[in-house]
Amino acid sequence: MSARAHVVAAAASPLPADSPFHNRFHLAAVAFLRAKQLQAGARPRVEARGRKVVTLALLEVIADTISWHVQ
């Protein structure tokens, strides 16, 4: 692996070891589903303060304010 590729790989920090997500794509998938719920009219579980739906969804998932499970 070239030095440049190694720097790019290191910049994409992995999720913490205690994270319930398998990887960052899993986090994105859960946030996407929550964003769809918010767009359909669900009440935000964190302070909205004019944030966009996707940002709210990510904040809710990270704050562990929504329940979810992997099937």
Side-chain angles (χ1 to χ4, degrees), residues 7-66:
V7 170
V8 172
S13 63
L15 294 169
D18 61 346
S19 174
F21 299 100
H22 302 295
N23 55 45
R24 63 184 174 196
F25 302 106
H26 183 217
L27 171 69
V30 173
F32 168 74
L33 294 173
R34 180 60 181 159
K36 284 177 57 175
Q37 291 176 343
L38 290 168
Q39 188 70 34
R43 290 184 177 209
R45 297 184 182 184
V46 296
E47 190 175 331
R49 286 194 262 163
R51 294 185 174 121
K52 294 181 180 180
V53 175
V54 175
T55 305
L56 277 174
L58 278 170
L59 290 173
E60 288 182 351
V61 171
I62 291 169
D64 199 25
T65 60
I66 60 169

